[in-house]
């Protein structure tokens, strides 16, 4: 019964540690989210910059698996090259060693001081100010990390007093078996942080020798690749290659250090350099990843070539409009671990959605102008993709909104729901216009030359409106709001004018009743399309601060 209670205590301590680590990483990501997005957007082909980014991001989000999964998502979405991903994965392996270094601090007499931060953070969270509350979560989670470590350490001390457990632990000395234990346990729990902390805590309780811990650490580094391998299921070939390179990196490093550990007294060197076994294991973990990165960074090109050789291309090629029908081009489920980056990818899908909606609008107006359905198949393909984006982007945004995000990010996210709906409605009105064309072709009805000229003028005004809207939307700039409103008003005026012209043509028998009925619906749809484009621009008011001249104009109105 005592052993069972100790196991439960150990699991409880591990749970507190992992939950605290997750809370800290989520809140740190919330604080640094926009900076992370900027860093990833600016990543270049410089391999050392990639390593630095991978190290920094992993230190913030406290998980090399999460970073690697995120990188697989970027590669899968086609916004990061395989070479860039390789350098970031290498950096992620260095960044993850911070968890072991935190665990090693339990051997120092300052652990109780760090544990007390849990209380400090709890009091800070009582504050109503969002910023203080957020930092309270971070500080409190740091304290909880050390509370979890202390609970685990106390439980391990009970195990260390058991002759049976001590005998079992001392009987396992085969290096290959030790490596496999580290690999299998990490693969099962899918958390190298958990297995590393358990290993360090066991060593601190004299249940594990440094020599054995070295081989288990090598297995842990291979086992951590399992999460990324699972994440690559269903990914594009490049996404799978990124996951394969992660596995390759850790396998090569583990093989090199396995041989070195057999022929060199690595444990003796570490013992001579550091007094506490917890620190020795943490430093070996860091040494392994830093050394492996130094060894392999000159061979990034060869690693990517090998990955391409092993995993062949099967990806469907984008069509002439730049997308694969009914598939995301930028969004990826793997990016949900970093909501601000996921949201940036949603924005790219929205921009693509806008261009597709506009292209279908152009196609529909052209088709009705020349009474031709020649472009109907391509139009239908784009319409299917618009419907797909409307449904799936909305679902994806719901998932992003469930993650911890700042209020500013939440406002931006909320606006995207409206924008997606507006763009889908543009597609629906374009579909209406194509249906009018079908009726006109079927009944051999045409518009007069005067009507076609008027249609071209109204279409030109909407084109101009679209250009202003999308320029502002891309740049998150509200300074052209006044110009945008004037153009939209001119479209409204065109509708009134064209309605009057139509009545005159009917009176003068220049237009058939059938064509007249379609004309009225057509002009009405065009005016509504302009309204939806205007809505896209105005959606920025949720999260973009308007310039002074716009504020003054609004106040005056």
């Amino acid at each position: 019964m005592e052993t069972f209670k100790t196991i439960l205590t150990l699991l409880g301590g591990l749970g507190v540690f992992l939950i605290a680590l997750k809370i800290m990483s989520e809140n740190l990501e919330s604080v640094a989210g926009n900076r992370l997005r900027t860093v990833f957007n600016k990543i270049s082909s410089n391999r050392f910059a990639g390593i630095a980014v991978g190290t920094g991001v992993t230190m913030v989000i406290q998980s090399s698996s999460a970073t690697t999964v995120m990188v697989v998502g970027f590669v899968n979405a086609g916004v990061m090259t395989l070479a860039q991903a390789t350098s970031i994965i290498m950096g992620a392996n260095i960044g993850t060693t911070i968890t072991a270094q935190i665990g090693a601090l339990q051997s120092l007499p300052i652990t109780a001081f760090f544990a007390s931060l849990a209380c400090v953070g709890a009091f800070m969270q009582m504050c109503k100010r969002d910023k203080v509350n957020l930092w309270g979560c971070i500080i409190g989670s740091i304290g909880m990390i050390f509370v979890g470590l202390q609970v685990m350490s106390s439980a391990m001390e009970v195990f260390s007093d058991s002759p049976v457990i001590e005998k079992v632990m001392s009987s396992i000395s085969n290096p290959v078996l030790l490596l496999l234990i580290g690999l299998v346990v990490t693969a099962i729990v899918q958390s190298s942080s958990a297995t590393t902390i358990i290993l360090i805590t066991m060593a601190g309780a004299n249940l594990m020798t440094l020599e054995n811990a070295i081989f288990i650490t090598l297995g842990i580094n291979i086992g951590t690749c399992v999460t990324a391998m699972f994440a690559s299921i269903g990914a594009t070939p490049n996404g799978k290659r990124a996951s394969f390179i992660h596995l390759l990196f850790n396998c090569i490093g583990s093989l090199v250090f396995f041989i070195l550990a057999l022929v060199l007294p690595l444990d003796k060197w570490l013992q001579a350099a550091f007094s506490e076994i917890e620190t020795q294991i943490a430093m070996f973990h860091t040494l392994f990843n830093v050394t492996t990165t130094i060894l392999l960074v000159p061979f990034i090109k060869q690693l990517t070539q090998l990955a391409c050789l092993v995993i062949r291309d099967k990806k469907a090629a984008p069509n002439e409009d730049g997308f694969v029908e009914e598939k995301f081009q930028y969004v990826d489920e793997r990016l949900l671990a970093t909501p601000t980056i996921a949201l940036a990818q949603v924005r790219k899908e929205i921009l693509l959605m806008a261009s597709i909606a506009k292209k279908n609008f152009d196609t529909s107006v052209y088709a009705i102008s020349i009474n031709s359905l020649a472009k109907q198949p391509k139009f239908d393909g784009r319409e299917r993709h618009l419907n797909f984006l409307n449904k799936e982007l909305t679902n994806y945004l719901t998932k992003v909104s469930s993650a911890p995000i700042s209020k500013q990010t939440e406002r931006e996210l909320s606006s995207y729901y409206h924008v997606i709906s507006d763009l889908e409605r543009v597609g629906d009105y374009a579909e209406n216009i194509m249906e009018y064309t079908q009726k006109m072709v079927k009944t051999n009805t045409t518009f007069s030359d005067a009507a076609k000229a008027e249609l071209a003028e109204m279409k030109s005004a909407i084109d101009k409106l679209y250009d202003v809207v999308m320029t502002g939307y891309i740049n998150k700039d509200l300074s052209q709001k006044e110009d945008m409103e004037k153009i939209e008003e001119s479209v409204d005026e065109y509708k009134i004018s064209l309605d009057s012209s139509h009545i005159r043509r009917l009176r003068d028998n220049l237009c058939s009743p059938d064509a007249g009925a379609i004309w009225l619906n057509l002009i009405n749809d065009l005016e509504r399309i302009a309204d939806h484009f205007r809505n896209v621009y105005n959606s920025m008011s949720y999260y973009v601060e308007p310039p002074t001249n716009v504020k003054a104009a609004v106040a005056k109105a």
Side-chain angles (χ1 to χ4, degrees):
M1 178 59 74
E2 189 64 30
T3 301
F4 181 67
K5 285 171 63 178
T6 304
I7 291 173
L8 291 180
T9 303
L10 175 64
L11 293 175
L14 179 61
V16 170
F17 176 85
L18 293 176
I19 290 171
L21 202 64
K22 186 174 186 293
I23 292 171
M24 184 178 73
S25 66
E26 285 178 349
N27 284 282
L28 280 173
E29 197 278 328
S30 181
V31 170
N34 289 327
R35 294 187 185 91
L36 288 181
R37 180 168 63 184
T38 302
V39 165
F40 274 115
N41 285 342
K42 291 184 177 179
I43 187 68
S44 65
S45 56
N46 186 313
R47 60 188 67 187
F48 299 106
I51 291 170
V53 168
T55 302
V57 170
T58 305
M59 288 176 72
V60 170
I61 66 176
Q62 289 290 301
S63 173
S64 62
S65 296
T67 303
T68 305
V69 167
M70 185 169 61
V71 166
V72 169
F74 271 115
V75 175
N76 191 56
V79 294
M80 182 181 288
T81 67
L82 199 55
Q84 289 171 339
T86 302
S87 62
I88 291 175
I89 289 169
M90 289 180 175
N93 281 276
I94 296 174
T96 195
T97 61
I98 192 68
T99 305
Q101 297 292 348
I102 291 172
L105 291 176
Q106 65 182 290
S107 63
L108 301 178
I110 58 172
T111 305
F113 168 77
F114 280 117
S116 69
L117 293 177
C119 183
V120 175
F123 282 119
M124 289 178 68
Q125 287 183 64
M126 294 178 186
C127 180
K128 292 183 179 180
R129 292 181 61 184
D130 292 334
K131 201 165 187 179
V132 176
N133 196 292
L134 178 61
W135 280 103
C137 285
I138 294 171
I139 293 171
S141 61
I142 292 172
M144 286 172 61
I145 285 172
F146 287 92
V147 170
L149 288 172
Q150 282 191 327
V151 172
M152 291 172 66
S153 181
S154 300
M156 285 298 181
E157 286 176 6
V158 175
F159 282 135
S160 67
D161 293 334
S162 171
V164 176
I165 293 176
E166 188 177 355
K167 185 178 179 180
V168 170
M169 295 305 299
S170 61
S171 66
I172 304 172
S173 58
N174 185 295
V176 175
L177 180 59
L178 290 166
L179 185 145
L180 287 173
I181 289 171
L183 191 160
V184 171
V185 172
T186 306
I188 291 171
V189 301
Q190 291 198 33
S191 173
S192 61
S193 297
T195 47
T196 302
I197 291 303
I198 291 174
L199 179 65
I200 289 174
T201 308
M202 288 177 67
N206 296 318
L207 289 171
M208 179 71 60
T209 65
L210 177 59
E211 184 180 10
N212 287 357
I214 285 173
F215 292 111
I216 291 177
T217 301
L218 297 179
I220 289 172
N221 278 279
I222 299 175
T224 193
C225 301
V226 171
T227 304
M229 296 296 287
F230 280 139
S232 69
I233 296 172
T236 61
N238 263 347
K240 292 177 180 176
R241 288 166 188 154
S243 180
F244 175 76
I245 288 171
H246 184 217
L247 177 65
L248 200 61
F249 174 90
N250 283 317
C251 285
I252 292 172
S254 294
L255 178 62
V256 170
F257 271 86
F258 187 86
I259 295 170
L260 289 177
L262 290 176
V263 301
L264 296 175
L266 293 181
D267 55 332
K268 301 293 189 296
W269 293 348
L270 287 165
Q271 287 166 349
F274 308 99
S275 58
E276 303 293 339
I277 190 170
E278 295 95 335
T279 306
Q280 293 159 11
I281 295 171
M283 293 309 296
F284 172 74
H285 193 213
T286 301
L287 177 68
F288 167 83
N289 285 292
V290 171
T291 304
T292 304
T293 298
I294 292 171
L295 288 174
L296 294 182
V297 73
F299 303 103
I300 286 179
K301 183 178 179 181
Q302 287 77 8
L303 287 173
T304 57
Q305 288 174 341
L306 178 59
C308 291
L309 188 65
V310 173
I311 300 170
R312 300 289 184 173
D313 277 310
K314 293 179 182 177
K315 182 181 177 182
N319 59 25
E320 63 186 53
D321 295 319
F323 64 89
V324 178
E325 193 175 309
E326 296 187 75
K327 287 185 180 294
F328 283 136
Q329 315 308 306
Y330 304 107
V331 161
D332 196 286
E333 293 281 330
R334 302 160 185 86
L335 301 179
L336 289 170
T338 49
T340 53
I341 296 174
L343 202 61
Q345 297 305 101
V346 171
R347 187 176 181 84
K348 290 182 180 180
E349 292 283 1
I350 288 174
L351 293 175
L352 176 62
M353 188 178 184
S355 68
I356 294 170
K358 177 60 164 58
K359 191 162 287 188
N360 261 12
F361 167 58
D362 292 340
T363 300
S364 65
V365 174
Y366 176 77
I368 203 166
S369 298
I370 65 170
N371 263 33
S372 171
L373 295 171
K375 295 189 177 184
Q376 181 83 53
K378 290 182 179 179
F379 177 95
D380 291 341
R382 288 192 290 264
E383 174 60 20
R384 283 192 298 270
H385 195 62
L386 286 175
N387 291 333
F388 165 81
L389 289 175
N390 177 49
K391 178 183 175 182
E392 297 303 327
L393 278 180
T394 300
N395 292 337
Y396 189 82
L397 282 174
T398 303
K399 294 176 184 178
V400 177
S401 65
S402 65
I405 53 178
S406 67
K407 288 196 173 180
Q408 171 72 8
T409 303
E410 188 177 349
R411 285 193 291 271
E412 184 170 350
L413 185 151
S414 297
S415 76
Y416 288 174
Y417 285 109
H418 300 292
V419 172
I420 290 167
S421 177
D422 280 313
L423 293 174
E424 196 270 338
R425 293 298 294 146
V426 170
D428 287 345
Y429 284 122
E431 191 173 23
N432 289 347
I433 296 171
M434 286 299 286
E435 289 173 359
Y436 303 153
T437 307
Q438 292 169 6
K439 290 179 182 177
M440 292 180 70
V441 169
K442 188 175 181 180
T443 59
N444 197 26
T445 305
T446 59
F447 291 138
S448 65
D449 290 340
K452 290 179 182 179
E454 290 173 346
L455 175 61
E457 287 179 6
M458 189 171 182
K459 167 71 165 51
S460 178
I462 297 174
D463 289 343
K464 189 177 179 182
L465 174 66
Y466 175 83
D467 291 340
V468 172
V469 165
M470 294 315 299
T471 300
Y473 194 80
I474 290 169
N475 299 319
K476 294 187 178 181
D477 179 15
L478 283 168
S479 63
Q480 300 301 311
K481 182 176 176 63
E482 213 172 302
D483 292 339
M484 183 277 297
E485 293 288 1
K486 286 180 181 177
I487 298 171
E488 199 279 329
E489 286 172 7
S490 72
V491 174
D492 293 341
E493 290 168 1
Y494 269 117
K495 179 184 180 300
I496 295 170
S497 174
L498 268 56
D499 282 346
S500 300
S501 299
H502 165 68
I503 292 171
R504 285 196 302 271
R505 284 193 293 273
L506 280 176
R507 187 184 59 212
D508 297 337
N509 293 322
L510 298 175
C511 177
S512 69
D514 289 340
I518 290 174
W519 177 263
L520 290 175
N521 287 328
L522 170 62
I523 299 307
N524 191 52
D525 287 347
L526 291 178
E527 190 269 336
R528 288 179 179 177
I529 285 173
D531 288 343
H532 287 294
F533 283 144
R534 179 194 59 196
N535 292 345
V536 170
Y537 189 95
N538 288 337
S539 71
M540 291 189 290
S541 62
Y542 280 89
Y543 58 93
V544 176
E545 185 69 20
T548 306
N549 63 321
V550 174
K551 287 181 181 178
V554 172
K556 188 175 180 181

